[in-house]
Amino acid sequence: MTVYGETLRSRLLLGTAQYPSPDVLADAVRASGAEIVTVSLRREGAASRAGQSFWSLIQGLGVRVLPNTAGCHGVREAVTTAQMAREVFGTDWVKLEVIGESDTLQPDVFGLVEAARILTDDGFKVFPYCTEDLVVAERLLRAGCEVLMPWGAPIGSGRGLNNVWGLRALRAHFPEVPLVVDAGIGLPSHAAAAMELGYDAVLLNSAVSQAGDPVAMARAFRLAIEAGLAGRLADPMEARDMATPSTPTLGQAILA
């Protein structure tokens, strides 16, 4: 997978929030094989050096950091957070979130497009958390985004792919654009299904961090994504409405 000129081997992007301990987080990242992890910027007092141990842990894993604007509900807040994250983490990559509705954490697609345009003009490489809406996707691409990250279901819900038809349509309309299912994934089978639809990668957090064994679950997701991709590349059979015998009838004995 190539995104913004960078070639990645892993199709799994992993979040770093809500793990039982730093050690479990580190082991889960290693088990997942992820090359990109998302991190949230927190406004901490500089004197306390809060978050330094976490940042050191992430740097020690040798992965690429994708800062996000999680929790931002407006364009100005999201843009400012992204600019601060660029200074703190030393990267112009940003996962852009502009939340429009508190219960579902659905993106504010109007604010998202506006913020994406501002950030790309400022030199950012934007990974927008969006819906599967085709018009919104087109506007984000026009704003300068080179990747789209539609939700599978509301963040942290674990419901999987709520709108398979919409996700399939998005893939069909933008065959050359890297697409990453972001949010709502709960099971390895959900991730495999996303890959079988033709998506390029999956981003998840809660499904691993809140599992009884996060390290084992991270490994399971890695294998599921590999299996889903391999299955798609193997050119799977088409679904049929009627049964077709798998055992040939030619040469079958006929009893009078």
Side-chain angles (χ1 to χ4, degrees):
M1 179 175 70
T2 301
V3 183
Y4 288 113
E6 297 288 336
T7 300
L8 305 168
R9 295 183 305 274
S10 174
R11 304 299 184 112
L12 174 59
L13 289 70
L14 194 62
T16 56
Q18 299 181 334
Y19 285 80
S21 71
D23 286 343
V24 171
L25 165 60
D27 289 343
V29 172
R30 295 188 188 99
S32 72
E35 296 175 87
I36 298 176
V37 299
T38 62
V39 294
S40 298
L41 180 69
R42 292 290 179 262
R43 298 170 179 80
E44 302 286 356
S48 66
R49 299 185 64 80
Q52 290 298 312
S53 59
F54 170 78
W55 180 222
S56 296
L57 182 151
I58 296 299
Q59 288 177 306
L61 292 172
V63 293
R64 181 150 195 160
V65 172
L66 178 63
N68 64 35
T69 62
C72 292
H73 289 259
V75 173
R76 182 178 179 182
E77 183 184 13
V79 169
T80 300
T81 300
Q83 292 169 338
M84 292 171 63
R86 180 166 60 182
E87 295 298 321
V88 171
F89 297 111
T91 178
D92 55 7
W93 283 23
V94 63
K95 177 190 170 186
L96 179 61
E97 296 183 28
V98 182
I99 301 302
E101 205 281 320
S102 297
D103 290 333
T104 63
L105 300 181
Q106 180 171 326
D108 172 358
V109 295
F110 306 101
L112 182 66
V113 172
E114 182 181 352
R117 183 175 293 109
I118 293 170
L119 290 172
T120 53
D121 288 345
D122 192 26
F124 282 89
K125 296 176 175 61
V126 179
F127 294 66
Y129 164 61
C130 58
T131 63
E132 66 276 21
D133 187 285
L134 298 177
V135 178
V136 172
E138 182 62 41
R139 297 290 175 85
L140 288 168
L141 295 174
R142 290 180 188 175
C145 299
E146 296 182 14
V147 59
L148 299 173
M149 303 180 70
W151 64 348
I155 293 172
S157 67
R159 297 182 60 85
L161 307 182
N162 271 358
N163 185 2
V164 173
W165 181 89
L167 292 171
R168 184 180 288 117
L170 188 67
R171 176 73 284 174
H173 276 71
F174 304 103
E176 304 302 324
V177 177
L179 299 180
V180 181
V181 171
D182 176 17
I185 298 296
L187 296 171
S189 58
H190 298 158
M195 300 304 295
E196 289 168 357
L197 283 177
Y199 277 72
D200 297 283
V202 172
L203 192 158
L204 54 90
N205 189 157
S206 300
V208 170
S209 66
Q210 296 181 24
D213 187 339
V215 178
M217 187 61 79
R219 186 177 300 109
F221 270 104
R222 183 192 71 199
L223 296 173
I225 288 172
E226 291 174 358
L229 176 62
R232 184 180 87 221
L233 296 177
D235 191 16
M237 63 175 285
E238 295 290 335
R240 306 184 180 105
D241 291 329
M242 301 295 290
T244 301
S246 56
T247 301
T249 57
L250 185 64
Q252 183 177 355
I254 300 176
L255 302 178

